[in-house]
Amino acid sequence: LAKTTQPISMDSYEGQEVNITCSHNNIATNDYITWYQQFPSQGPRFIIQGYKTKVTNEVASLFIPADRKSSTLSLPRVSLSDTAVYYCLVGRYNQGGKLIFGQGTELSVKP
Amino acid sequence: EAGVAQSPRYKIIEKRQSVAFWCNPISGHATLYWYQQILGQGPKLLIQFQNNGVVDDSQLPKDRFSAERLKGVDSTLKIQPAKLEDSAVYLCASSPDRGSYEQYFGPGTRLTVT
């Protein structure tokens, strides 16, 4: 299973765009990249998933370069309610794999 | 649609006592997971069920932890006897099928062992 590395914490201000980068140098051909968000006292929530290039949904964008050794989660115009822990996961879940969470990035959005 | 339900939300017990957690997954979801989340860490998978069969329990401390999913719907996770290091949040999640990257998590049960 590919190991992921992401910053332990990040600070931002309301209205800014936040980019969280995750490194996964040993990603395998069949691995997908998935991001989860966890608010305090809640279970994690799926945000976005991708394989290559760019994926966008109503919550975030995911940028994956051609070599797929890293990925960047982009949150546009964050608000205080985006304060949470963000987890980057890599694996072939759709082939029976399992989610392995790392420590995540604790994002703090300030007014 | 209703989300994953868990109870109780909080539990405080003394070490060596037993405790049980209950989970009701989203209707129709075949796969159910139990995770343990220690403060400051990401969730760790304890056991995965596909319908009422165990798919993966490689990280379940079987000397003290047990889990069952009768009739392929609700599930119960039990700890007996509890240790101080079992203090954590126990999360239940479900997904429509095995290995889905999109799992739906419940609110968790916060266990404190004193």
Side-chain angles (χ1 to χ4, degrees), chain B residues 3-85:
Chain B
V4 175
Q6 290 188 247
S7 68
R9 290 297 312 276
Y10 306 92
K11 189 74 177 178
I12 301 174
I13 62 172
E14 295 182 352
K15 59 183 179 183
R16 291 187 290 274
Q17 286 187 324
S18 62
V19 64
F21 313 125
W22 173 81
C23 172
N24 181 240
I26 293 174
S27 177
H29 280 194
T31 311
L32 185 146
Y33 313 80
W34 282 102
Y35 289 84
Q36 178 193 59
Q37 186 171 25
I38 294 172
L39 187 64
Q41 299 180 18
K44 181 183 81 171
L45 179 68
L46 292 175
I47 189 167
Q48 176 183 345
F49 291 95
Q50 179 71 11
N51 296 310
N52 60 352
V54 175
V55 173
D56 185 345
D57 62 357
S58 57
Q59 297 196 90
L60 186 74
K62 299 181 185 63
D63 57 334
R64 298 184 301 106
F65 286 64
S66 65
E68 60 182 9
R69 189 183 185 197
L70 300 176
K71 300 181 181 179
V73 182
D74 293 6
S75 177
T76 302
L77 177 69
K78 296 179 181 177
I79 308 175
Q80 181 180 8
K83 293 185 176 181
L84 295 176
E85 59 261 35

Side-chain angles (χ1 to χ4, degrees), chain A residues 32 34 36 38 40-46 48-49 85 87 91-104, chain B residues 9-10 33 35 37 40-45 48 55-56 58-59 91 98-108 110:
Chain A
Y32 283 73
T34 310
Y36 275 74
Q38 186 174 27
S41 300
Q42 293 187 26
R45 182 177 75 110
F46 169 84
I48 198 166
Q49 180 252 6
V85 178
Y87 295 98
R92 58 202 72 176
Y93 323 111
N94 56 345
Q95 296 179 27
K98 58 188 179 186
L99 294 180
I100 297 180
F101 290 83
Q103 195 167 3
Chain B
R9 290 297 312 276
Y10 306 92
Y33 313 80
Y35 289 84
Q37 186 171 25
Q41 299 180 18
K44 181 183 81 171
L45 179 68
Q48 176 183 345
V55 173
D56 185 345
S58 57
Q59 297 196 90
L91 295 160
R98 177 184 173 187
S100 172
Y101 55 79
E102 188 168 357
Q103 296 180 13
Y104 299 81
F105 284 79
R110 181 176 297 278

Side-chain angles (χ1 to χ4, degrees), chain A residues 71-93:
Chain A
S71 59
T72 299
L73 176 73
S74 181
L75 305 172
R77 300 181 58 79
V78 294
S79 64
L80 296 176
S81 62
D82 292 315
T83 294
V85 178
Y86 293 82
Y87 295 98
C88 166
L89 301 95
V90 173
R92 58 202 72 176
Y93 323 111

